Amino acid sequence: MGFESFGTVSFTAEAKVADFVTYLEQGKVMATQCKNCGAKYFPPQMDCPRCLSTDAEWFEVKGSGKLITYTTVQYGPSGFENDAPYTLVIVDFADGLRIFGRLSRDIKESDIKIGMDVKVVPVKLADDRISYEFQRA
Amino acid sequence: MEGIRDRVAIVGMGCTQFGELWDKNHRDLLVDAAYEAFEDAGIEPKDIQMAWYGSRESGFTGAQLASALKLEYIPISRVENFCAGGTDTFRNACYGVASGVCDIALAIGAEKCKDHFGGFNMDILEPFDRSMTEWDGPPVNQFAQLATRYMYHYGWKYEDLKRIFAMIDVKNHHNGTMSPKAQFRREITVEQAMNAPIISYPLGLFDACGVSDGSAAAIVTTPEIAKSMRKDYILVKALALTNGGGQAVLQPEYDFIHFPEAVAAAQHAYKEAGITNPRQEIDCAEVHDCFAITELITYEDLGFSPRGKAAEDVEAGSFTLEGDLPVNTDGGLKCFGHPLSASGLRMIYEIYHQLQGKAGPRQLKKADVGLVHNIGGICGFFNCAVAIFGRPD
């Protein structure tokens, strides 16, 4: 079990952080924290680029974060053509955790504001695929 | 540690037409660029002792160049470094000469972007975890996020920052009208650029460079040999290259309003060239205007403008042909398109001619020191090359 069912296009099946998808199916968006130096990572990483430790643990991303930048894509790359337009965002959570992903289509482009509070939640896509997105907190 | 300053000279350069070259294959482009460079340097292909060949999309291994130019049984390395590939190819050839292992080296980059992979190959990089690749959209999405944050950080209204982008677009299109080898050679207006369809908010059609085919080449040697070949050879003053460690999106301290890789490369290059005040000491620059926001931020990263003030210099016309520091005098990526590994060498080709006084209708009155800058990749994962050139005293 890996990333086969993740996202519009899955670019790999195998990954050290494949449990991310299992957690998504359980309704949780998870990140990792290095057990050695405490650094938090999203996308989750089992190897810490800061202290080079390979010992990390999972934690659930809870609460709201602040949107720090975004772009609304009018022309999607290969495999994403039918998804456009969609909005990509970067969101800062507490304790130095920064997450990127798509913004919910429920939020109109004219309502997107830098600094707005959003939360991250798992979402089911077509054809039994799964991902996550940001929604208004 | 001895730097590269004044240890390598350019004695010949060539550059093909850039554009949709359906009637030319990759080898035709290599031949056209190389033979212009051979003729310019007054040498034969047999005089080339070593070669460095830049390609990302269109050719693998040095044998591609060996067969195109019949450079048999000499060492040829293929270089790939994404958007900085052309300047890095040049850098490697310069180091070959400076090391003393060869006297005359060829640096050449070529890409056939238009009929490979239907345009601009986006078999996306693998910055973090391949499973997360939905964020790793094409470059326009990467650079757009900086544009959005730049707008917010400095309190710009959308229309006002779009006007600044448009002024950069108009400048480059104007310069491109005087470049016979450019892909786009027509004027545009500020209104056209501002009202063009959005590709990735807030960047529109004219805020983005084109996709094209092309090739450019340089012949490098020692200054001693250069003197015997021509009077107007050009000296390499600095060669810098940086690569990001892949952490910026993850690191909360990254501000999305500058490129740390470019700042580091510029600092290295200025130190090597002995430049302390780039705005005063550099006469012309070719910077990586893949998107208007990239050119705007690059003015600040290179120290041409104070942080947050580049737009003021754009409004003042500082970077036009008539300004105090003309940038992208040939029209830039905006007008030449961006065949990845050819672009850096195409930019060096323009600086070479400006410094020689041979830039035709684009010729600047004062062009003693010129700079080339390339940046590519995604946030936290950029690679950046900065090169500086000067004339012999």
Side-chain angles (χ1 to χ4, degrees):
Chain A
M1 184 62 209
F3 275 89
E4 299 92 335
S5 61
F6 178 80
T8 303
V9 177
S10 180
F11 291 84
T12 189
E14 297 301 322
K16 289 183 184 178
V17 292
D19 284 348
F20 178 77
V21 177
T22 310
Y23 285 121
L24 270 186
E25 283 165 352
Q26 294 168 7
K28 297 174 192 168
V29 176
M30 303 287 276
T32 56
Q33 181 167 24
C34 173
K35 282 186 178 176
N36 183 50
C37 75
K40 293 178 173 180
Y41 291 108
F42 191 96
Q45 306 204 132
M46 284 300 162
D47 303 318
C48 178
R50 201 164 87 179
C51 75
L52 308 184
S53 164
T54 56
D55 196 9
E57 61 188 347
W58 292 95
F59 70 95
E60 187 174 0
V61 181
K62 291 181 177 172
S64 67
K66 288 201 182 299
L67 191 153
I68 65 160
T69 192
Y70 71 96
T71 183
T72 300
V73 179
Q74 297 293 339
Y75 301 90
S78 301
F80 298 84
E81 297 92 338
N82 298 329
D83 285 8
Y86 53 89
T87 298
L88 298 167
V89 298
I90 293 181
V91 178
D92 274 355
F93 287 77
D95 303 325
L97 181 66
R98 179 171 278 184
I99 302 187
F100 57 77
R102 283 197 199 180
L103 191 66
S104 167
R105 293 180 190 278
D106 293 341
I107 301 174
K108 284 190 296 186
E109 192 178 352
S110 56
D111 290 339
I112 303 171
K113 296 276 183 289
I114 288 182
M116 70 190 289
D117 292 318
V118 292
K119 61 183 179 181
V120 62
V121 295
V123 286
K124 291 278 186 188
L125 306 178
D127 303 325
D128 287 330
R129 304 189 68 78
I130 193 161
S131 188
Y132 63 92
E133 69 176 20
F134 292 94
Q135 298 175 356
R136 202 183 287 276
Chain B
M1 183 177 70
E2 196 178 356
I4 201 73
R5 182 179 178 182
D6 293 333
R7 296 178 64 196
V8 180
I10 310 176
V11 289
M13 289 203 74
C15 180
T16 66
Q17 182 75 39
F18 277 40
E20 300 190 2
L21 309 179
W22 306 112
D23 59 337
K24 298 265 186 186
N25 68 24
H26 182 246
R27 292 182 181 194
D28 294 328
L29 296 181
L30 288 170
V31 168
D32 289 353
Y35 274 77
E36 184 190 336
F38 295 154
E39 190 177 334
D40 183 34
I43 64 169
E44 304 284 327
K46 65 175 171 47
D47 298 322
I48 301 296
Q49 296 162 346
M50 292 188 183
W52 279 262
Y53 157 57
S55 174
R56 174 177 160 84
E57 308 286 337
S58 306
F60 310 103
T61 87
Q64 294 277 0
L65 182 67
S67 61
L69 297 181
K70 305 303 168 207
L71 297 176
E72 287 191 310
Y73 314 125
I74 69 163
I76 304 174
S77 295
R78 180 221 177 194
V79 178
E80 194 289 304
N81 223 340
F82 207 40
C83 299
T87 304
D88 194 16
T89 302
F90 177 82
R91 172 179 162 273
N92 276 274
C94 289
Y95 286 176
V97 166
S99 75
V101 297
C102 65
D103 290 328
I104 298 183
L106 167 68
I108 186 164
E111 306 281 3
K112 281 288 290 177
C113 289
K114 291 302 292 192
D115 47 3
H116 278 245
F117 312 107
F120 197 97
N121 180 17
M122 275 293 112
D123 56 357
I124 300 296
L125 304 164
E126 189 179 351
F128 309 114
D129 184 307
R130 293 196 74 142
S131 56
M132 295 300 175
T133 310
E134 276 188 82
W135 176 247
D136 307 337
V140 65
N141 304 151
Q142 300 296 331
F143 288 91
Q145 68 188 335
L146 280 96
T148 305
R149 187 68 192 183
Y150 191 96
M151 194 187 322
Y152 172 80
H153 186 87
Y154 293 113
W156 285 93
K157 285 183 190 160
Y158 171 80
E159 293 75 17
D160 294 338
L161 188 60
K162 281 290 279 187
R163 183 170 293 278
I164 298 297
F165 290 167
M167 291 176 77
I168 293 171
D169 306 335
V170 166
K171 165 185 74 77
N172 289 341
H173 266 273
H174 173 69
N175 295 351
T177 62
M178 290 174 273
S179 290
K181 292 177 175 177
Q183 178 182 26
F184 300 125
R185 295 168 57 202
R186 58 190 166 83
E187 305 276 359
I188 61 163
T189 66
V190 166
E191 289 68 32
Q192 255 181 304
M194 287 182 70
N195 297 322
I198 294 293
I199 300 172
S200 188
Y201 173 91
L203 300 176
L205 183 64
F206 287 104
D207 301 326
C209 75
V211 176
S212 65
D213 306 328
S215 177
I219 311 289
V220 290
T221 187
T222 65
E224 293 71 30
I225 296 170
K227 271 177 214 158
S228 69
M229 296 173 73
R230 65 190 305 158
K231 285 181 184 164
D232 58 350
Y233 62 90
I234 296 301
L235 286 168
V236 176
K237 296 289 184 181
L239 295 168
L241 181 73
T242 58
N243 292 278
Q247 300 304 310
V249 169
L250 298 168
Q251 279 175 341
E253 58 267 30
Y254 180 59
D255 57 13
F256 290 96
I257 55 167
H258 81 300
F259 301 107
E261 296 87 348
V263 173
Q267 285 170 352
H268 176 100
Y270 293 153
K271 188 178 174 194
E272 194 166 55
I275 287 173
T276 53
N277 185 339
R279 179 66 179 257
Q280 296 295 325
E281 296 174 58
I282 292 166
D283 299 316
C284 54
E286 289 282 305
V287 310
H288 199 85
D289 60 315
C290 51
F291 303 100
I293 183 63
T294 323
E295 181 163 337
L296 186 71
I297 288 177
T298 297
Y299 295 149
E300 300 176 8
D301 286 343
L302 296 179
F304 295 175
S305 304
R307 281 278 162 221
K309 303 288 187 190
E312 291 177 20
D313 286 328
V314 172
E315 286 182 306
S318 304
F319 306 119
T320 65
L321 289 179
E322 295 76 29
D324 67 290
L325 176 39
V327 172
N328 295 336
T329 51
D330 61 353
L333 272 62
K334 183 77 208 65
C335 292
F336 274 81
H338 183 27
L340 297 141
S341 306
S343 285
L345 282 151
R346 185 270 303 163
M347 295 154 91
I348 297 170
Y349 182 80
E350 173 67 4
I351 295 294
Y352 173 76
H353 285 119
Q354 286 287 355
L355 268 52
Q356 288 181 325
K358 294 179 177 174
R362 308 181 306 281
Q363 182 61 48
L364 304 172
K365 285 186 187 130
K366 182 175 184 299
D368 296 327
V369 179
L371 178 147
V372 166
H373 156 276
N374 297 106
I375 190 162
I378 73 166
C379 285
F381 202 70
F382 284 110
N383 63 342
C384 181
V386 174
I388 300 175
F389 302 90
R391 297 199 305 197
D393 296 327

